[in-house]
């Protein structure tokens, strides 16, 4: 039997991302939504270990993908957010900034393109800045529902499920997408980028 | 320019297409035999699409088509020239059949206002824009590129239009399922009305992402069945009887993450009269 997954603690207080992401959203998002993915992933893995036929295992794949993806995606998400007091929103000169500017022209263009692409998802999903492992280029990619990002190394992920913003931004997801750049943890993003460029995950 | 002729008997569903180049188009040409119905239209670029009924009739019309070898400028003046119809009429947001607060306390006024005036309106606007772009472009590639916008916004418009109608306030018999053919069919196909609601809620809550739960009537099995569609996909495989929106915007402001509570509450405002009307129409 595989080890049970647990909800990772939030690296900051629930109200630390105010006013950009409200405490109410952070509490529900972490303690309810993410916790539910963890619980269901554990249940699905237990069932999978017990399953004795390919058919039973295949029948469990959707639950593993959905809940496993939900756990992966949200774990990455909490880490790539940071309060203003911990340099959230600050993109310092360095390899990540260079790569963004050289790929997208400017940081602003990158953010605008990211936001337009993410807002264009038809349903629930995630917007990602990812590193293409073959070309080693930064690319903006999306995944549907709780599909994890497999084609690229995830650098920054943004949750665009309605539960991520609705209580605060209602239907105006464009405002959420503008606001969230104030709390993106570019230091963590750069760590992921440097690790990916150096090939240790590829 | 286009040619059309009236068909007797009435036009049947077209399955085969015969595409001719504009150089082949000519008149005079013989009208196909009466039981063979077709319609010849030219589009602006001169391609001729001949809609044909399926089967061996198409061979006969193909032979007819090969007789069209006279240059296009000798067309008979009696043949009507009609512009190919271009843009479809604009879609509009249907009015809510009740006040925004009429479904309280089961669905809040705040949700109903946002859901109708913002979300549904956005689908209507998106659909109109997509249809306009689709009508304007001559490029097949662009048309295909527009398909997802048509499906998403068209589906959103269809689904929400059905939704408002299959809800009604408690004081207009929302939630009441009278004795009648729908109740009988639910009991026949699910064992009991409670069992139906339980299964419907379980299936709808289990959607992995955004989507809709449906009670649908299957023309194939002639039974009521519970079906789900993802995102804004419309229900095509069944006749929609009752639809329930499980996108988070449909409930989150009031129920937060506890969608089970929303799904329990909504049965108090389901418009079973409308549902029965749809069922009778579908089942005939």
């Amino acid at each position: 039997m595989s080890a049970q997954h647990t909800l990772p603690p939030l690296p900051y207080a629930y109200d630390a991302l105010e006013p950009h992401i409200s405490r109410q959203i952070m509490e529900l998002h972490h303690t309810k939504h993410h916790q539910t993915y963890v619980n269901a992933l554990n249940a699905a893995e237990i069932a999978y270990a017990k399953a004795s036929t390919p058919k039973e295992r295949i029948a469990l794949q959707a639950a593993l993908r959905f809940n496993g993806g939900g756990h992966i995606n949200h774990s990455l998400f909490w880490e790539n957010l940071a309060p203003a007091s911990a340099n959230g929103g600050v993109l310092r000169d360095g390899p990540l900034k260079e790569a963004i500017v050289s790929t997208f022209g400017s940081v602003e263009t990158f953010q605008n393109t990211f936001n337009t692409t993410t807002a264009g998802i038809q349903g629930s999903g995630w917007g990602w800045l990812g590193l293409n492992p073959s070309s080693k280029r930064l690319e903006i990619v999306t995944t549907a529902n709780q599909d994890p990002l497999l084609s690229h190394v995830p650098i920054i992920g943004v949750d665009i499920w309605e539960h991520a913003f609705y209580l605060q931004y209602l239907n105006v997801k464009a405002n959420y997408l503008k606001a969230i750049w104030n709390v993106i943890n570019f230091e963590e993003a750069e760590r992921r980028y440097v690790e990916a460029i150096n090939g240790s995950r590829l | 320019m286009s040619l059309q002729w009236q068909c007797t008997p009435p036009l049947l569903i077209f399955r085969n297409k015969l595409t001719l180049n504009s150089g082949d188009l000519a008149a005079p040409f013989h009208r196909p035999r009466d039981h063979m119905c077709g319609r010849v239209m030219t589009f602006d670029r001169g391609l001729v699409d001949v809609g044909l009924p399926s089967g061996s009739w198409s061979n006969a019309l193909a032979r007819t088509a090969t007789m069209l070898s006279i240059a296009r400028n000798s067309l008979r003046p009696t043949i009507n020239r009609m512009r190919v119809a271009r843009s479809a009429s604009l879609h509009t947001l249907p009015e809510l059949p009740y006040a925004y607060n009429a479904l309280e306390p089961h669905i809040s006024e705040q949700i109903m206002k946002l859901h109708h005036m913002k979300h549904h309106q956005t689908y209507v606007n998106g659909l109109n824009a997509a249809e306009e772009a689709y009508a304007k472009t001559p490029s097949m590639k662009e048309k295909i590129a527009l398909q997802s916008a048509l499906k998403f916004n068209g589906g959103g418009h269809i689904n929400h239009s059905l939704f408002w109608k299959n809800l009604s306030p408690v004081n207009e018999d929302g939630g009441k399922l009278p004795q009648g053919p729908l109740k009988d069919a639910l009991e026949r196909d699910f064992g009991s009305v409670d069992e139906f609601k339980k299964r419907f809620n379980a299936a709808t809550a289990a959607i992995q992402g955004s989507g809709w739960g449906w009670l649908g009537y299957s023309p194939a099995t002639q039974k009521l069945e519970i079906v789900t569609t993802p995102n804004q996909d419309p229900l095509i495989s069944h006749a929609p009887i009752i639809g329930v929106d499980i996108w988070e915007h449909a409930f989150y402001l009031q129920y937060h993450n506890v969608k089970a509570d929303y799904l329990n509450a909504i049965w108090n405002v389901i418009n079973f009269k409308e549902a029965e009307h749809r069922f009778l129409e579908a089942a005939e």
Side-chain angles (χ1 to χ4, degrees):
Chain A
M1 278 224 319
S2 49
Q4 294 277 280
H5 303 279
T6 57
L7 182 69
L10 218 56
Y12 33 77
Y14 285 109
D15 62 358
L17 305 185
E18 294 259 14
H20 310 292
I21 305 182
S22 71
R23 173 160 72 103
Q24 186 189 29
I25 285 181
M26 291 304 290
E27 278 179 359
L28 282 164
H29 206 172
H30 183 250
T31 65
K32 303 291 181 188
H33 290 274
H34 189 175
Q35 182 72 69
T36 300
Y37 291 123
V38 169
N39 298 344
L41 175 61
N42 288 334
E45 286 190 340
I46 287 171
Y48 195 92
K50 287 204 178 105
S52 52
T53 68
K55 185 172 166 184
E56 283 169 38
R57 288 187 201 108
I58 291 167
L60 284 162
Q61 279 181 358
L64 286 169
R65 174 178 178 163
F66 184 61
N67 295 295
H71 181 38
I72 290 168
N73 294 340
H74 287 87
S75 299
L76 288 168
F77 188 47
W78 312 134
E79 298 275 328
N80 71 223
L81 295 171
S85 59
N87 296 320
V90 176
L91 175 54
R92 281 199 258 244
D93 290 339
L96 177 62
K97 188 172 188 180
E98 269 170 46
I100 287 176
V101 172
S102 92
T103 307
F104 298 100
S106 69
V107 176
E108 200 187 327
T109 304
F110 154 64
Q111 289 171 348
N112 288 340
T113 309
F114 183 102
N115 287 358
T116 303
T117 305
T118 301
I121 292 170
Q122 295 177 345
S124 304
W126 289 75
W128 300 95
L129 175 66
L131 184 78
N132 182 323
S134 345
S135 65
K136 305 273 187 141
R137 281 178 65 78
L138 286 173
E139 289 169 1
I140 292 164
V141 206
T142 61
T143 55
N145 305 320
Q146 290 300 349
D147 290 357
L149 181 60
L150 298 174
S151 57
H152 293 61
V153 179
I155 308 300
I156 295 169
V158 170
D159 193 346
I160 198 67
W161 278 65
E162 285 169 332
H163 64 241
F165 63 87
Y166 207 88
L167 289 175
Q168 188 176 0
Y169 293 95
L170 305 178
N171 60 300
V172 194
K173 50 185 172 179
N175 287 352
Y176 159 71
L177 290 169
K178 274 195 219 103
I180 201 169
W181 291 103
N182 292 294
V183 290
I184 290 295
N185 185 351
F186 285 107
E187 288 175 3
E188 168 69 8
E190 186 159 75
R191 262 194 294 276
R192 294 174 186 172
Y193 174 73
V194 168
E195 195 181 314
I197 280 286
N198 292 338
S200 54
R201 286 235 187 103
L202 304 175
Chain B
M1 147 199 86
S2 78
L3 315 170
Q4 284 187 318
W5 68 86
Q6 271 303 93
C7 202
T8 59
L11 289 171
L12 302 174
I13 296 169
F14 296 149
R15 300 221 177 259
N16 298 330
K17 281 195 171 211
L18 176 69
T19 304
L20 310 169
N21 293 323
S22 56
D24 294 330
L25 175 67
F29 60 91
H30 299 283
R31 176 180 166 156
R33 289 167 300 182
D34 275 355
H35 69 268
M36 216 168 61
C37 302
R39 198 170 58 176
V40 179
M41 282 168 53
T42 62
F43 298 113
D44 287 355
R45 293 259 170 101
L47 277 178
V48 177
D49 244 14
V50 181
L52 300 172
S54 57
S56 59
W57 297 343
S58 60
N59 292 334
L61 194 53
R63 284 197 298 275
T64 304
T66 61
M67 296 193 297
L68 307 178
S69 54
I70 304 166
R72 88 185 88 162
N73 57 11
S74 65
L75 286 167
R76 272 195 195 159
T78 52
I79 293 166
N80 288 333
R81 295 166 202 238
M82 283 167 55
R83 271 204 129 2
V84 174
R86 283 248 117 148
S87 50
S89 49
L90 284 182
H91 302 279
T92 56
L93 182 69
E95 280 178 28
L96 216 57
Y98 32 78
Y100 284 109
N101 66 359
L103 306 184
E104 293 260 13
H106 311 292
I107 306 181
S108 72
E109 181 180 6
Q110 185 191 26
I111 286 180
M112 291 304 291
K113 279 186 171 163
L114 284 164
H115 205 173
H116 183 249
M117 295 193 293
K118 303 290 181 188
H119 291 275
H120 189 173
Q121 182 72 71
T122 300
Y123 290 124
V124 169
N125 299 344
L127 176 60
N128 287 332
E131 284 189 341
E132 199 183 321
Y134 194 95
K136 279 203 179 108
T137 183
S139 149
M140 171 71 7
K141 182 173 163 182
E142 280 176 37
K143 280 179 161 49
I144 292 170
L146 284 162
Q147 280 180 355
S148 77
L150 286 169
K151 176 173 174 171
F152 183 62
N153 293 292
H157 181 37
I158 289 167
N159 294 340
H160 287 87
S161 300
L162 288 168
F163 188 47
W164 310 134
K165 283 206 168 143
N166 70 225
L167 296 169
S168 63
V170 171
N171 63 13
E172 287 174 35
D173 294 335
K176 294 207 191 82
L177 175 56
Q179 300 298 337
L182 177 61
K183 187 171 190 191
D184 292 344
L186 284 170
E187 284 167 351
R188 178 197 69 202
D189 293 335
F190 297 100
S192 71
V193 177
D194 277 348
E195 183 61 24
F196 153 66
K197 288 179 186 174
K198 206 168 125 210
R199 281 197 231 163
F200 183 102
N201 286 1
T204 302
I207 291 171
Q208 293 178 343
S210 306
W212 289 74
W214 300 93
L215 174 66
Y217 176 77
S218 163
T221 63
Q222 303 199 316
K223 284 191 191 305
L224 288 171
E225 291 168 3
I226 292 163
V227 205
T228 62
T229 55
N231 305 321
Q232 289 299 349
D233 291 6
L235 181 61
I236 295 173
S237 57
H238 294 60
I241 309 301
I242 295 169
V244 169
D245 192 348
I246 200 66
W247 279 64
E248 286 169 334
H249 64 242
F251 63 87
Y252 207 86
L253 290 175
Q254 189 175 358
Y255 295 95
H256 295 170
N257 59 301
V258 195
K259 50 185 174 182
D261 285 355
Y262 160 70
L263 290 170
N264 285 331
I266 201 169
W267 291 105
N268 292 294
V269 289
I270 290 293
N271 184 350
F272 284 106
K273 284 196 274 201
E274 168 70 9
E276 186 160 76
H277 170 76
R278 292 175 187 174
F279 171 64
L280 291 171
E281 210 175 286
E284 75 188 29

